[in-house]
Coordinates of all heavy atoms in Angstrom, one line a residue:
M1 N 111.9 112.5 89.8 CA 110.5 112.2 90.1 C 109.7 113.2 89.2 O 109.4 114.2 89.6 CB 110.4 112.4 91.6 CG 109.2 113.1 92.1 SD 109.0 113.1 93.9 CE 110.5 113.4 94.6
P2 N 109.5 112.7 88.0 CA 108.8 113.6 87.0 C 107.3 113.9 87.4 O 106.6 113.0 87.7 CB 108.9 112.8 85.7 CG 109.8 111.7 86.0 CD 110.0 111.5 87.4
T3 N 107.0 115.2 87.4 CA 105.6 115.5 87.6 C 104.9 115.5 86.3 O 105.4 116.0 85.3 CB 105.5 116.9 88.2 OG1 106.2 116.9 89.5 CG2 104.1 117.4 88.4
V4 N 103.8 114.8 86.2 CA 103.0 114.6 85.1 C 101.8 115.6 84.9 O 101.5 116.1 83.8 CB 102.5 113.1 84.9 CG1 101.6 112.9 83.7 CG2 103.6 112.1 85.0
L5 N 101.3 116.0 86.1 CA 100.1 116.8 86.1 C 100.0 117.4 87.5 O 100.3 116.8 88.5 CB 98.9 116.0 85.8 CG 97.5 116.7 85.8 CD1 97.4 117.7 84.7 CD2 96.4 115.7 85.8
R6 N 99.5 118.7 87.5 CA 99.1 119.3 88.8 C 97.6 119.8 88.6 O 97.3 120.4 87.6 CB 99.9 120.6 89.1 CG 101.4 120.2 89.5 CD 102.1 121.5 89.8 NE 103.5 121.2 90.1 CZ 104.1 120.8 91.2 NH1 103.3 120.8 92.3 NH2 105.3 120.6 91.3
K7 N 96.8 119.4 89.5 CA 95.3 119.7 89.4 C 94.7 119.7 90.8 O 95.0 118.7 91.6 CB 94.6 118.8 88.4 CG 93.3 119.2 88.0 CD 92.8 118.4 86.9 CE 91.5 119.0 86.3 NZ 91.2 118.3 85.1
Y8 N 93.9 120.6 91.1 CA 93.2 120.6 92.4 C 94.1 120.6 93.6 O 93.8 120.1 94.6 CB 92.2 119.5 92.5 CG 91.1 119.4 91.4 CD1 91.1 118.2 90.6 CD2 90.3 120.5 91.1 CE1 90.0 118.2 89.6 CE2 89.4 120.4 90.2 CZ 89.3 119.3 89.4 OH 88.3 119.2 88.4
G9 N 95.3 121.2 93.4 CA 96.2 121.2 94.5 C 96.9 119.9 94.7 O 97.7 119.7 95.7
L10 N 96.8 119.0 93.7 CA 97.5 117.7 93.8 C 98.5 117.6 92.8 O 98.5 118.1 91.7 CB 96.4 116.6 93.5 CG 95.2 116.6 94.4 CD1 94.1 115.7 93.9 CD2 95.6 116.1 95.9
R11 N 99.6 116.8 93.1 CA 100.7 116.6 92.1 C 100.8 115.1 91.8 O 100.8 114.3 92.6 CB 102.1 117.0 92.8 CG 103.2 116.9 91.9 CD 104.5 117.5 92.4 NE 105.0 116.6 93.4 CZ 106.1 115.8 93.2 NH1 106.6 115.7 92.0 NH2 106.6 115.0 94.1
F12 N 100.6 114.9 90.5 CA 100.6 113.5 90.0 C 102.0 113.2 89.4 O 102.4 114.0 88.5 CB 99.5 113.4 88.9 CG 98.1 113.6 89.4 CD1 97.6 114.8 89.7 CD2 97.3 112.5 89.6 CE1 96.3 115.0 90.2 CE2 96.0 112.6 90.1 CZ 95.5 113.9 90.3
H13 N 102.7 112.2 89.9 CA 104.0 112.0 89.5 C 104.4 110.5 89.6 O 103.6 109.7 90.2 CB 105.0 112.8 90.3 CG 104.9 112.5 91.7 ND1 105.8 111.6 92.4 CD2 104.1 112.8 92.7 CE1 105.5 111.4 93.6 NE2 104.5 112.3 93.9
F14 N 105.6 110.1 89.1 CA 106.1 108.8 89.4 C 107.6 109.0 89.8 O 108.2 110.0 89.6 CB 105.9 107.8 88.3 CG 106.2 108.4 86.9 CD1 107.5 108.4 86.4 CD2 105.2 108.8 86.1 CE1 107.8 108.9 85.1 CE2 105.5 109.3 84.8 CZ 106.8 109.3 84.4
Y15 N 108.1 108.0 90.3 CA 109.5 107.9 90.8 C 110.3 107.1 89.8 O 109.9 106.1 89.2 CB 109.6 107.3 92.2 CG 108.9 108.0 93.3 CD1 107.7 107.6 93.7 CD2 109.5 109.1 93.9 CE1 107.1 108.3 94.8 CE2 108.9 109.8 94.9 CZ 107.7 109.4 95.3 OH 107.1 110.0 96.4
S16 N 111.6 107.5 89.7 CA 112.5 106.8 88.7 C 112.7 105.3 89.1 O 112.9 104.5 88.2 CB 113.8 107.6 88.4 OG 114.4 107.7 89.7
G17 N 112.5 105.0 90.3 CA 112.7 103.7 90.8 C 111.4 102.8 90.5 O 111.5 101.6 90.8
D18 N 110.4 103.4 89.9 CA 109.2 102.6 89.7 C 109.2 101.7 88.5 O 108.3 101.0 88.2 CB 108.0 103.6 89.5 CG 107.6 104.2 90.8 OD1 108.0 103.8 91.9 OD2 106.9 105.2 90.8
R19 N 110.3 101.8 87.8 CA 110.4 101.2 86.4 C 110.0 99.7 86.4 O 109.4 99.3 85.3 CB 111.9 101.4 85.9 CG 112.5 100.1 85.3 CD 113.8 100.4 84.8 NE 113.8 100.7 83.4 CZ 114.2 101.9 82.9 NH1 114.8 102.7 83.6 NH2 114.0 102.1 81.6
Y20 N 110.2 98.9 87.4 CA 109.9 97.5 87.3 C 108.6 97.1 87.9 O 108.2 96.0 88.0 CB 111.0 96.8 88.1 CG 112.3 97.0 87.4 CD1 113.3 97.8 88.0 CD2 112.6 96.5 86.1 CE1 114.5 98.0 87.4 CE2 113.8 96.7 85.5 CZ 114.8 97.6 86.2 OH 116.0 97.8 85.6
E21 N 107.7 98.1 88.2 CA 106.3 97.9 88.5 C 105.4 98.2 87.4 O 105.8 98.9 86.4 CB 106.0 98.8 89.7 CG 106.7 98.6 91.0 CD 106.1 99.4 92.2 OE1 104.9 99.4 92.3 OE2 107.0 100.1 92.8
P22 N 104.2 97.6 87.5 CA 103.2 98.0 86.4 C 103.0 99.5 86.4 O 103.2 100.2 87.5 CB 101.9 97.3 86.9 CG 102.4 96.2 87.7 CD 103.6 96.7 88.4
P23 N 102.6 100.1 85.3 CA 102.4 101.6 85.2 C 101.4 102.1 86.4 O 100.3 101.4 86.6 CB 101.8 101.8 83.9 CG 102.2 100.6 83.1 CD 102.3 99.5 84.0
H24 N 101.8 103.1 87.0 CA 101.0 103.7 88.1 C 101.4 105.2 88.3 O 102.5 105.6 87.7 CB 101.1 102.9 89.4 CG 102.6 102.9 90.0 ND1 103.5 102.0 89.5 CD2 103.2 103.7 90.9 CE1 104.6 102.2 90.2 NE2 104.5 103.3 90.9
I25 N 100.6 105.9 89.0 CA 100.9 107.3 89.3 C 100.9 107.5 90.8 O 100.0 106.9 91.5 CB 99.9 108.2 88.5 CG1 100.5 109.7 88.4 CG2 98.5 108.2 89.0 CD1 101.5 109.8 87.2
H26 N 101.7 108.3 91.3 CA 101.7 108.7 92.7 C 101.0 110.1 92.8 O 101.2 110.9 91.8 CB 103.1 108.8 93.3 CG 103.7 107.5 93.4 ND1 103.6 106.7 94.5 CD2 104.6 106.9 92.5 CE1 104.3 105.6 94.3 NE2 104.9 105.6 93.1
V27 N 100.2 110.3 93.8 CA 99.5 111.6 94.0 C 99.8 112.1 95.4 O 99.7 111.3 96.4 CB 98.0 111.3 93.9 CG1 97.3 112.7 93.9 CG2 97.6 110.6 92.6
E28 N 100.2 113.3 95.5 CA 100.5 114.0 96.8 C 99.7 115.3 96.8 O 99.7 116.0 95.8 CB 101.9 114.2 97.0 CG 102.8 113.0 97.1 CD 104.2 113.3 97.2 OE1 104.6 114.5 97.2 OE2 105.1 112.3 97.4
G29 N 99.3 115.7 98.0 CA 98.7 117.0 98.2 C 97.6 117.0 99.2 O 97.2 115.8 99.6
N30 N 97.3 118.1 99.8 CA 96.2 118.2 100.7 C 96.5 117.3 101.9 O 95.4 116.8 102.4 CB 94.9 118.0 100.1 CG 94.6 119.0 98.9 OD1 95.1 120.1 98.9 ND2 93.8 118.5 98.0
G31 N 97.7 117.0 102.3 CA 98.0 116.2 103.4 C 97.9 114.7 103.2 O 98.0 113.9 104.1
G32 N 97.7 114.2 101.9 CA 97.6 112.8 101.6 C 98.6 112.4 100.6 O 99.2 113.1 99.9
E33 N 98.6 111.0 100.5 CA 99.4 110.4 99.4 C 98.7 109.2 99.0 O 98.0 108.5 99.7 CB 100.7 109.9 100.0 CG 101.7 111.0 100.5 CD 103.0 110.4 100.9 OE1 103.6 109.4 100.3 OE2 103.5 110.8 102.0
A34 N 98.8 108.9 97.7 CA 98.1 107.8 97.1 C 99.0 107.2 95.9 O 99.8 108.0 95.3 CB 96.7 108.1 96.6
K35 N 98.6 106.0 95.5 CA 99.2 105.3 94.4 C 98.0 104.8 93.6 O 97.3 104.0 94.2 CB 100.2 104.2 94.8 CG 100.8 103.4 93.7 CD 101.8 102.4 94.4 CE 102.3 101.4 93.4 NZ 103.3 100.4 94.0
V36 N 98.0 105.0 92.3 CA 96.9 104.6 91.5 C 97.4 103.8 90.3 O 98.3 104.4 89.5 CB 96.1 105.8 91.0 CG1 94.9 105.3 90.2 CG2 95.6 106.6 92.2
W37 N 96.9 102.6 90.1 CA 97.3 101.9 88.9 C 96.7 102.5 87.6 O 95.6 103.0 87.7 CB 96.8 100.5 89.0 CG 97.4 99.7 90.2 CD1 96.7 99.2 91.2 CD2 98.7 99.3 90.4 NE1 97.5 98.5 92.1 CE2 98.8 98.6 91.6 CE3 99.9 99.5 89.8 CZ2 100.0 98.1 92.2 CZ3 101.1 99.1 90.3 CH2 101.1 98.4 91.5
L38 N 97.4 102.4 86.6 CA 97.0 103.1 85.3 C 96.5 102.1 84.4 O 95.6 102.5 83.5 CB 98.2 103.9 84.7 CG 98.7 105.0 85.4 CD1 99.9 105.6 84.7 CD2 97.6 106.1 85.5
T39 N 96.8 100.8 84.4 CA 96.3 99.9 83.4 C 94.8 99.6 83.7 O 94.0 99.7 82.8 CB 97.0 98.6 83.5 OG1 98.4 98.8 83.4 CG2 96.6 97.6 82.4
E40 N 94.4 99.4 84.9 CA 93.1 99.3 85.3 C 93.0 100.4 86.4 O 93.4 100.0 87.5 CB 92.7 97.9 85.8 CG 91.3 97.8 86.3 CD 91.0 96.4 86.9 OE1 91.7 95.4 86.5 OE2 90.2 96.4 87.9
V41 N 92.4 101.5 86.2 CA 92.4 102.6 87.1 C 91.8 102.2 88.4 O 90.6 101.9 88.5 CB 91.7 103.8 86.5 CG1 91.7 105.0 87.6 CG2 92.5 104.3 85.3
R42 N 92.6 102.1 89.5 CA 92.1 101.8 90.8 C 93.2 102.2 91.8 O 94.4 102.2 91.4 CB 91.7 100.3 91.1 CG 92.8 99.3 90.9 CD 92.2 97.9 91.0 NE 93.3 97.0 90.5 CZ 94.2 96.5 91.3 NH1 94.3 97.0 92.6 NH2 95.2 95.6 90.9
V43 N 92.8 102.5 93.0 CA 93.8 102.9 94.0 C 94.5 101.7 94.6 O 93.8 100.8 95.0 CB 93.0 103.7 95.2 CG1 93.9 104.1 96.3 CG2 92.3 105.0 94.7
A44 N 95.8 101.8 94.6 CA 96.6 100.7 95.1 C 96.9 100.9 96.6 O 96.9 100.0 97.4 CB 97.9 100.6 94.4
E45 N 97.2 102.1 96.9 CA 97.5 102.5 98.3 C 97.1 103.9 98.5 O 97.1 104.7 97.6 CB 99.1 102.5 98.6 CG 99.7 101.2 98.3 CD 101.2 101.2 98.3 OE1 101.7 102.3 98.7 OE2 101.9 100.3 98.0
A46 N 96.6 104.3 99.7 CA 96.3 105.7 100.0 C 96.3 105.9 101.5 O 96.1 105.0 102.3 CB 94.9 105.9 99.5
G47 N 96.7 107.1 101.9 CA 96.8 107.6 103.2 C 96.5 109.1 103.3 O 97.1 109.8 102.6
G48 N 95.7 109.5 104.2 CA 95.5 110.9 104.4 C 94.5 111.7 103.5 O 94.3 112.8 103.7
F49 N 93.9 110.9 102.6 CA 92.8 111.4 101.8 C 91.4 111.0 102.2 O 91.3 109.8 102.6 CB 93.0 111.0 100.3 CG 94.1 111.6 99.6 CD1 95.2 110.9 99.0 CD2 94.2 113.0 99.4 CE1 96.2 111.6 98.4 CE2 95.2 113.7 98.7 CZ 96.2 112.9 98.2
S50 N 90.5 111.8 102.1 CA 89.1 111.4 102.3 C 88.6 110.6 101.1 O 89.2 110.5 100.1 CB 88.2 112.6 102.5 OG 88.1 113.3 101.3
Q51 N 87.4 109.9 101.4 CA 86.8 109.2 100.2 C 86.5 110.1 99.1 O 86.6 109.7 97.9 CB 85.6 108.4 100.7 CG 85.9 107.3 101.6 CD 86.8 106.2 100.9 OE1 86.6 105.9 99.7 NE2 87.8 105.7 101.6
K52 N 86.1 111.3 99.4 CA 85.7 112.3 98.4 C 87.0 112.7 97.6 O 87.0 112.8 96.3 CB 85.1 113.6 99.1 CG 84.7 114.7 98.1 CD 84.2 115.8 98.8 CE 83.8 116.9 97.9 NZ 83.2 118.1 98.5
D53 N 88.1 112.9 98.3 CA 89.3 113.2 97.7 C 89.8 112.0 96.7 O 90.2 112.2 95.5 CB 90.5 113.4 98.6 CG 90.4 114.7 99.4 OD1 89.7 115.6 98.9 OD2 90.9 114.8 100.6
L54 N 89.7 110.8 97.2 CA 90.1 109.6 96.4 C 89.2 109.5 95.1 O 89.7 109.2 94.1 CB 90.0 108.4 97.2 CG 91.1 108.3 98.3 CD1 90.8 107.0 99.2 CD2 92.4 108.2 97.7
A55 N 87.9 109.8 95.3 CA 87.0 109.8 94.1 C 87.4 110.8 93.1 O 87.5 110.5 91.9 CB 85.5 110.0 94.6
R56 N 87.8 112.0 93.6 CA 88.3 113.1 92.7 C 89.6 112.6 92.0 O 89.8 112.8 90.8 CB 88.5 114.3 93.4 CG 89.1 115.4 92.5 CD 89.2 116.7 93.3 NE 88.0 117.5 93.0 CZ 87.8 118.7 93.4 NH1 88.6 119.3 94.2 NH2 86.7 119.3 93.1
I57 N 90.5 112.0 92.8 CA 91.8 111.5 92.2 C 91.5 110.5 91.1 O 92.1 110.6 90.0 CB 92.7 111.0 93.3 CG1 93.2 112.1 94.2 CG2 93.8 110.1 92.7 CD1 93.8 111.7 95.4
V58 N 90.7 109.5 91.4 CA 90.4 108.5 90.4 C 89.7 109.2 89.1 O 90.1 108.8 88.0 CB 89.5 107.4 91.0 CG1 88.8 106.6 89.9 CG2 90.2 106.6 92.0
A59 N 88.9 110.1 89.3 CA 88.3 110.8 88.2 C 89.4 111.6 87.3 O 89.3 111.5 86.1 CB 87.2 111.8 88.6
V60 N 90.3 112.2 88.0 CA 91.4 112.9 87.3 C 92.3 111.9 86.6 O 92.6 112.1 85.4 CB 92.3 113.7 88.3 CG1 93.4 114.3 87.6 CG2 91.4 114.9 88.8
V61 N 92.6 110.7 87.2 CA 93.4 109.8 86.5 C 92.6 109.2 85.4 O 93.2 109.0 84.3 CB 93.8 108.7 87.5 CG1 94.6 107.5 86.8 CG2 94.8 109.2 88.6
E62 N 91.4 108.9 85.5 CA 90.6 108.4 84.3 C 90.7 109.4 83.2 O 90.8 109.0 82.0 CB 89.2 108.1 84.8 CG 89.1 106.8 85.6 CD 87.7 106.5 86.1 OE1 86.9 107.4 86.2 OE2 87.5 105.3 86.5
E63 N 90.4 110.7 83.5 CA 90.4 111.7 82.5 C 91.8 111.9 81.8 O 91.8 112.1 80.6 CB 90.1 113.1 83.1 CG 90.1 114.2 82.2 CD 89.8 115.5 82.9 OE1 89.5 115.6 84.1 OE2 89.8 116.6 82.2
H64 N 92.9 111.7 82.5 CA 94.2 111.9 81.9 C 95.0 110.6 81.8 O 96.2 110.7 81.6 CB 95.0 112.9 82.8 CG 94.3 114.2 82.8 ND1 94.5 115.2 81.9 CD2 93.5 114.8 83.8 CE1 93.8 116.2 82.2 NE2 93.2 116.0 83.3
R65 N 94.3 109.5 81.8 CA 95.0 108.2 81.8 C 95.9 108.0 80.7 O 97.1 107.6 80.8 CB 93.9 107.1 81.9 CG 94.5 105.7 81.9 CD 93.4 104.7 81.9 NE 93.9 103.3 81.6 CZ 94.0 102.8 80.4 NH1 93.5 103.4 79.3 NH2 94.5 101.6 80.2
Q66 N 95.4 108.3 79.5 CA 96.3 108.1 78.3 C 97.5 109.0 78.3 O 98.6 108.4 78.0 CB 95.5 108.4 77.0 CG 96.2 108.0 75.8 CD 96.5 106.5 75.7 OE1 95.7 105.6 76.1 NE2 97.6 106.2 75.3
M67 N 97.4 110.2 78.7 CA 98.6 111.1 78.8 C 99.6 110.5 79.9 O 100.8 110.5 79.6 CB 98.2 112.4 79.2 CG 99.3 113.5 79.3 SD 99.9 113.6 81.0 CE 98.5 114.3 81.8
M68 N 99.0 110.0 81.0 CA 99.9 109.5 82.1 C 100.6 108.2 81.6 O 101.8 108.0 81.9 CB 99.0 109.2 83.3 CG 98.6 110.4 84.0 SD 97.5 110.1 85.3 CE 97.1 111.8 86.0
L69 N 99.9 107.3 80.9 CA 100.5 106.2 80.3 C 101.6 106.5 79.3 O 102.7 105.9 79.3 CB 99.4 105.2 79.7 CG 98.7 104.3 80.6 CD1 97.5 103.7 79.9 CD2 99.6 103.3 81.2
E70 N 101.4 107.5 78.5 CA 102.4 107.9 77.5 C 103.7 108.5 78.2 O 104.7 108.2 77.9 CB 101.8 109.0 76.5 CG 100.9 108.3 75.6 CD 100.2 109.4 74.7 OE1 100.6 110.5 74.7 OE2 99.2 109.0 74.0
A71 N 103.4 109.3 79.2 CA 104.5 109.8 80.0 C 105.3 108.7 80.7 O 106.6 108.7 80.7 CB 104.0 110.8 81.0
W72 N 104.6 107.8 81.2 CA 105.3 106.6 81.8 C 106.1 105.9 80.8 O 107.3 105.6 81.0 CB 104.2 105.6 82.3 CG 104.8 104.3 82.9 CD1 105.1 103.2 82.3 CD2 105.1 104.0 84.3 NE1 105.6 102.3 83.1 CE2 105.6 102.7 84.3 CE3 104.9 104.7 85.5 CZ2 106.0 102.1 85.5 CZ3 105.3 104.1 86.7 CH2 105.8 102.9 86.8
H73 N 105.6 105.5 79.7 CA 106.4 104.7 78.7 C 107.5 105.6 78.0 O 108.6 105.0 77.8 CB 105.4 104.2 77.6 CG 104.5 103.2 78.1 ND1 104.9 101.9 78.6 CD2 103.1 103.1 78.3 CE1 103.9 101.2 79.0 NE2 102.8 101.9 78.8
D74 N 107.2 106.9 77.9 CA 108.4 107.7 77.4 C 109.5 107.8 78.4 O 110.6 107.7 78.1 CB 107.8 109.1 77.1 CG 106.9 109.2 75.9 OD1 106.9 108.3 75.1 OD2 106.3 110.3 75.7
Y75 N 109.2 107.9 79.6 CA 110.2 108.0 80.7 C 111.0 106.8 80.8 O 112.2 106.7 81.0 CB 109.6 108.5 82.0 CG 110.6 108.8 83.1 CD1 111.4 110.0 83.0 CD2 110.9 107.9 84.0 CE1 112.3 110.3 83.9 CE2 111.9 108.2 85.0 CZ 112.6 109.4 84.9 OH 113.5 109.6 85.9
F76 N 110.3 105.6 80.9 CA 111.0 104.4 81.1 C 111.4 103.6 79.9 O 111.9 102.5 80.0 CB 110.1 103.5 82.0 CG 109.9 104.0 83.4 CD1 108.7 104.4 83.8 CD2 111.0 104.1 84.3 CE1 108.5 104.9 85.1 CE2 110.8 104.6 85.6 CZ 109.6 105.0 86.0
A77 N 111.3 104.2 78.7 CA 111.7 103.5 77.5 C 113.3 103.5 77.4 O 113.9 104.2 77.9 CB 111.1 104.3 76.3

């Protein structure tokens, strides 16, 4: 389960079993979990995060989207 980024107490990562899904990133921290699509940045699933937390997560993913996509493609190549 490669960690791609840590920011604001959150861990952005993906699971090795994610290979057959479209590119996405999992986020854990502060008592919550989320899954965010990378092709069109949007929250796919979330639990335990406030709307403010989710907005921050989406902003971080948008800021680091290219790096996350490269990590995804490098790992699953």
Side-chain angles (χ1 to χ4, degrees):
M1 136 173 48
T3 297
V4 177
L5 177 71
R6 289 183 188 273
K7 192 167 187 173
Y8 303 124
L10 302 168
R11 184 168 79 94
F12 295 78
H13 63 92
F14 44 83
Y15 296 101
S16 56
D18 289 345
R19 134 177 270 122
Y20 299 107
E21 293 187 53
H24 62 277
I25 198 84
H26 293 272
V27 186
E28 294 180 357
N30 303 331
E33 295 183 43
K35 176 179 175 179
V36 181
W37 299 118
L38 293 174
T39 306
E40 178 184 329
V41 177
R42 63 183 169 83
V43 176
E45 303 170 8
F49 286 121
S50 68
Q51 288 301 319
K52 182 178 176 181
D53 289 335
L54 289 173
R56 176 177 265 183
I57 287 166
V58 167
V60 170
V61 172
E62 287 174 341
E63 177 183 356
H64 298 280
R65 179 179 167 269
Q66 189 59 42
M67 179 267 296
M68 291 175 178
L69 279 168
E70 287 173 11
W72 174 278
H73 293 297
D74 287 347
Y75 186 79
F76 292 116

